[in-house]
Amino acid sequence: MLYVIISQDNEGSLPLRREARPEHLERLETLKAAGRLVLAGPCPAIDASDPGEAGFTGSVIVAEFASLDAATQWANEDPYVAAGVYASVSVKPFRQTLP
């Protein structure tokens, strides 16, 4: 089943994001290689695809997991969680309608 992982950043998280980004992306690449990643990306803090020093307010990931527990465990093990980037992480079942 698909799950959406919605994360909210802590204030001033950009330096922490930059440091933990390679490990974070490596985990996403693993999901992608397994054919389980639908989409992933950050939410810019301003109306721009590259917010520069304004940074990001959070992230969204939609991926396939065996269960809500498995998705939650995966989300909680994210390097951004360990680095203190995220203030909160929410995991919910997701039903893709389009495309």
Side-chain angles (χ1 to χ4, degrees):
M1 179 165 185
L2 294 177
Y3 296 88
V4 61
I5 301 167
I6 304 169
S7 306
Q8 297 296 317
D9 279 25
N10 280 304
E11 193 75 26
S13 65
L14 188 57
L16 300 172
R17 266 183 176 270
R18 287 179 174 151
E19 187 175 324
R21 189 169 191 262
E23 291 176 77
H24 172 77
L25 290 178
E26 184 178 317
R27 295 178 84 233
L28 291 171
E29 287 292 340
T30 300
L31 281 180
K32 180 181 171 188
R36 296 171 42 206
L37 182 65
V38 175
L39 65 87
C43 302
I46 60 173
D47 190 10
S49 61
D50 181 357
E53 292 304 310
F56 301 92
T57 61
S59 301
V60 175
I61 298 168
V62 177
E64 183 181 342
F65 293 93
S67 66
L68 179 58
D69 286 343
T72 301
Q73 180 177 348
W74 187 91
N76 289 336
E77 293 172 354
D78 193 294
Y80 281 177
V81 171
V85 172
Y86 294 150
S88 66
V89 178
S90 173
V91 182
K92 299 178 183 183
F94 181 79
R95 189 183 81 187
Q96 184 175 359
T97 301
L98 293 170

